């Protein structure tokens, strides 16, 4: 049996509507704050394609209003489930932009767990969008890494694991300097951008001395991917 759902999130971003549009409606822009590799045909009726961990997922653009509104909907599955993403962009004073996301559709039998994961994931990725446009406007990511982990019900254990990976032993706060250490990857310095307790902290590279680094903000989480 399918279950209807809706998640709403809204943030204020220190960027122009045009910069926000570039970040949410182009493949390189989406790659810089979302997950996987993304391609978007820039028109109503165009195809949105996401490739992640060997899987490919497609959606159709249903509304294409540059710098104003972008809606796309995934293919309906045999059980009637699907998801849709609706971005509304509104310019504000001081070169800032309000971005509202309505994530809706129908979920399957395990809808409660899926809904909880989506509520958590939507917040995390909206924060990543904010961090990307705040610290890295006009630049795009050239390398993305997603490391899936096991599903763990003990949230405190997960939180401590995230802190351990960042080299934090006590409390953690926005602005803290951290050192990400993950087996198989080079160590990376960072600055805590947001806490996100109990899901995951989000960190970004610190300003480089002499020249600025061209690396996107990063975040870790255990919630499953959005695509069905």
């Amino acid at each position: 049996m399918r279950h209807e759902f809706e998640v709403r999130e809204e943030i204020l971003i220190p960027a122009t509507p045009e910069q926000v549009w570039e970040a949410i409606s182009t493949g390189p822009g989406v790659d810089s704050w979302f997950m996987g590799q993304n391609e978007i045909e820039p028109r109503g009726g165009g195809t949105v394609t996401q490739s992640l961990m060997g899987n490919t997922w497609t959606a159709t653009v249903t509304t294409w209003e540059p710098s104003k509104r972008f809606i796309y909907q995934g293919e309906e599955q045999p059980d009637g489930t699907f998801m849709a993403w609706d971005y509304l962009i509104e310019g504000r004073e001081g070169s800032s932009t309000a971005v509202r996301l309505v994530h809706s559709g129908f979920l399957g039998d395990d809808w409660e767990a899926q809904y909880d994961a989506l509520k958590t994931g939507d917040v995390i990725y909206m924060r990543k969008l904010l961090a990307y446009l705040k610290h890295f406007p006009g630049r795009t990511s050239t390398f993305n890494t997603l490391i899936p982990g096991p599903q763990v019900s003990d949230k405190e254990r997960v939180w401590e694991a995230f802190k351990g990976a960042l080299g934090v032993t006590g409390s953690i706060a926005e602005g803290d300097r951290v050192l990400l250490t993950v087996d198989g990857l080079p160590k990376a310095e960072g600055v805590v951008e947001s806490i996100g307790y109990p899901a995951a902290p989000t960190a970004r590279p610190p300003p480089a001395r002499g020249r600025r680094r061209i690396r996107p903000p990063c975040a870790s989480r255990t919630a499953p991917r959005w695509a069905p």
Side-chain angles (χ1 to χ4, degrees):
M1 180 178 178
R2 67 178 193 168
H3 299 265
E4 188 173 9
F5 81 95
E6 181 179 281
V7 177
R8 288 175 173 262
E9 295 293 337
E10 185 169 339
I11 57 173
L12 187 65
I13 297 178
T16 65
E18 290 75 20
Q19 289 174 312
V20 172
W21 180 258
E22 188 75 11
I24 68 172
S25 68
T26 68
V30 175
D31 288 352
S32 298
W33 60 274
F34 199 48
M35 54 187 169
Q37 284 71 51
N38 300 269
E39 298 179 12
I40 300 173
E41 292 182 347
R43 59 180 177 83
T47 300
V48 177
T49 304
Q50 181 190 78
S51 299
L52 179 68
M53 298 170 58
N55 297 308
T56 299
W57 173 84
T58 61
T60 300
V61 177
T62 59
T63 299
W64 181 268
E65 299 177 11
S67 300
K68 294 181 179 179
R69 198 166 191 181
F70 178 40
I71 305 175
Y72 59 97
Q73 179 176 311
E75 296 179 353
E76 185 171 329
Q77 302 302 303
D79 61 358
T81 59
F82 69 86
M83 295 186 190
W85 292 259
D86 179 350
Y87 290 94
L88 179 65
I89 302 171
E90 296 182 341
R92 294 287 190 266
E93 294 182 359
S95 298
S96 62
T97 301
V99 182
R100 185 206 68 188
L101 167 65
V102 178
H103 187 184
S104 61
F106 287 88
L107 302 174
D109 292 335
D110 193 25
W111 69 274
E112 291 179 313
Q114 294 178 53
Y115 181 67
D116 288 342
L118 293 174
K119 287 196 300 182
T120 299
D122 284 348
V123 171
I124 289 174
Y125 280 103
M126 290 291 272
R127 287 175 177 168
K128 284 190 68 180
L129 173 62
L130 168 61
Y132 166 55
L133 288 172
K134 180 180 178 181
H135 299 287
F136 306 93
R139 291 176 285 175
T140 55
S141 169
T142 58
F143 178 77
N144 302 307
T145 300
L146 175 66
I147 304 175
Q151 296 293 310
V152 180
S153 59
D154 187 342
K155 295 181 179 180
E156 289 298 328
R157 179 184 172 194
V158 172
W159 184 252
E160 289 302 317
F162 280 133
K163 287 171 50 181
L166 294 173
V168 177
T169 56
S171 61
I172 185 170
E174 294 180 10
D176 285 353
R177 292 289 185 118
V178 294
L179 181 64
L180 178 64
T181 305
V182 178
D183 290 342
L185 296 176
K187 294 182 179 180
E189 296 180 0
V191 177
V192 176
E193 184 71 17
S194 62
I195 303 303
Y197 178 84
T202 299
R204 59 174 173 82
R209 295 183 178 87
R211 61 179 181 177
R212 303 181 71 184
R213 296 183 181 180
I214 307 177
R215 291 172 59 185
C218 59
S220 300
R221 71 186 185 102
T222 55
R225 60 177 295 192
W226 284 355

